Amino acid sequence: MKQLTLPNDIETIPQLNEFLDGFCEEQGIGMDFAMSLNLAVEEAVVNVMNYAYPQGTVGYVDIQAEADATQVTVTISDSGIPFDPTQKEEVDTTLPAEERKIGGLGIHLVRTIMDTISYEYADHHNILTLSKKLKKQ
Amino acid sequence: MITINEENEGLRAIFEGRLDTPAAVKAQQEIEPLIENADKTIILDCSHLDYISSSGLRLFLSIRKEAGAKGGNVIIENINDEIRKVFMMTGFYNLFDIRNV
């Protein structure tokens, strides 16, 4: 298992990328998978950085990554205001450009890329668990 | 990160590296000339773009919306396979004129 803690500052996102690339490399996970995982986790972490803590206050987000023979699991937790991103309404990706809304794409990408998403609020923490199956070689 | 050149009475914006969340926030100002010239042909050259997040997609969408309103065109050139996947997942593939040149 590998762990990273970041402050609620989106400027630190490149550190998340480095962390996940390192994790995937150690696990022998391919580039395609790593890139998709990176995108899903970035979207989920940015969501926490932007919304979990009141503006102007410092808070943290913890990211844990682990893998077994069948899947990769990433757990994202924070001690901010309780928020369940899995309850967010799905965007309509079939609308023409004029009608497309600017928001909601991040969580849509998380849902599309990952195989399972689960949320719980425990011990004053938001805990979001994302997993993605590894393809059989 | 973004280089903008005039080309054939329009603009070509060359994106490089990673358009992740912090990069997209910075790019918001850099794309102003594209928004201002959205009545012309705008080429988003992605030949050297490695990665895009939803905030990068939002930039592209805002250019596309502006062009739609002002009667311009937006052409996206040379997205890599990973970015193509992201365009497919979000339905962006159908919103843009995407070309391999």
Side-chain angles (χ1 to χ4, degrees):
Chain A
M1 200 196 59
K2 225 171 140 78
Q3 204 263 340
L4 175 73
T5 301
L6 293 175
N8 57 340
D9 176 0
I10 58 162
E11 291 298 325
T12 61
I13 285 295
Q15 289 177 46
L16 175 67
N17 172 238
E18 229 168 90
F19 165 79
L20 291 170
D21 275 359
F23 168 77
C24 288
E25 209 175 305
E26 283 163 30
Q27 299 289 334
I29 292 166
M31 286 276 287
D32 291 17
F33 189 101
M35 184 97 67
S36 296
L37 181 72
N38 213 302
L39 179 56
V41 176
E42 176 181 332
E43 299 296 346
V45 168
V46 164
N47 198 46
V48 172
M49 287 176 172
N50 284 339
Y51 304 113
Y53 301 99
Q55 277 213 326
T57 63
V58 177
Y60 293 91
V61 50
D62 288 305
I63 301 106
Q64 279 183 9
E66 53 195 321
D68 61 24
T70 61
Q71 64 177 8
V72 169
T73 304
V74 178
T75 308
I76 297 160
S77 60
D78 65 80
S79 56
I81 40 177
F83 176 70
D84 180 357
T86 66
Q87 296 304 309
K88 214 168 163 192
E89 208 183 311
E90 185 52 283
V91 289
D92 185 349
T93 58
T94 64
L95 290 174
E98 303 72 46
E99 292 166 41
R100 288 294 292 264
K101 300 221 173 63
I102 286 293
L105 280 174
I107 184 68
H108 172 74
L109 284 169
V110 179
R111 283 188 179 120
T112 312
I113 292 167
M114 305 308 289
D115 291 304
T116 62
I117 307 177
S118 67
Y119 169 83
E120 63 172 327
Y121 190 75
D123 201 15
H124 305 288
H125 281 74
N126 290 297
I127 304 161
L128 187 68
T129 307
L130 310 176
S131 67
K132 183 170 173 63
K133 290 191 191 96
L134 290 161
K135 280 187 213 123
K136 292 196 184 89
Q137 298 296 321
Chain B
M1 182 74 224
I2 307 174
T3 314
I4 298 175
N5 299 321
E6 282 187 37
E7 189 179 291
N8 301 333
E9 327 232 329
L11 294 178
R12 170 180 291 268
I14 303 163
F15 290 83
E16 268 173 273
R18 298 176 60 83
L19 201 48
D20 58 11
T21 309
V25 169
K26 286 189 201 96
Q28 208 131 26
Q29 295 213 319
E30 296 178 57
I31 65 153
E32 254 333 290
L34 305 179
I35 297 285
E36 281 162 25
N37 289 280
D39 55 331
K40 303 182 181 122
T41 294
I42 291 172
I43 297 169
L44 305 176
D45 183 342
C46 297
S47 310
H48 302 286
L49 184 65
D50 300 324
Y51 174 94
I52 193 163
S53 71
S54 69
S55 15
L57 292 175
R58 280 194 284 272
L59 288 185
F60 284 13
L61 181 61
S62 63
I63 298 165
R64 170 69 182 77
K65 276 177 182 262
E66 195 71 13
K70 290 184 177 166
N73 284 311
V74 180
I75 299 166
I76 295 185
E77 279 185 8
N78 300 332
I79 47 175
N80 70 25
D81 288 346
E82 289 307 311
I83 296 174
R84 187 176 303 270
K85 268 200 263 174
V86 178
F87 269 66
M88 295 286 197
M89 286 185 238
T90 51
F92 268 48
Y93 206 78
N94 302 318
L95 299 183
F96 289 91
D97 179 351
I98 297 172
R99 300 182 187 178
N100 278 311
V101 294

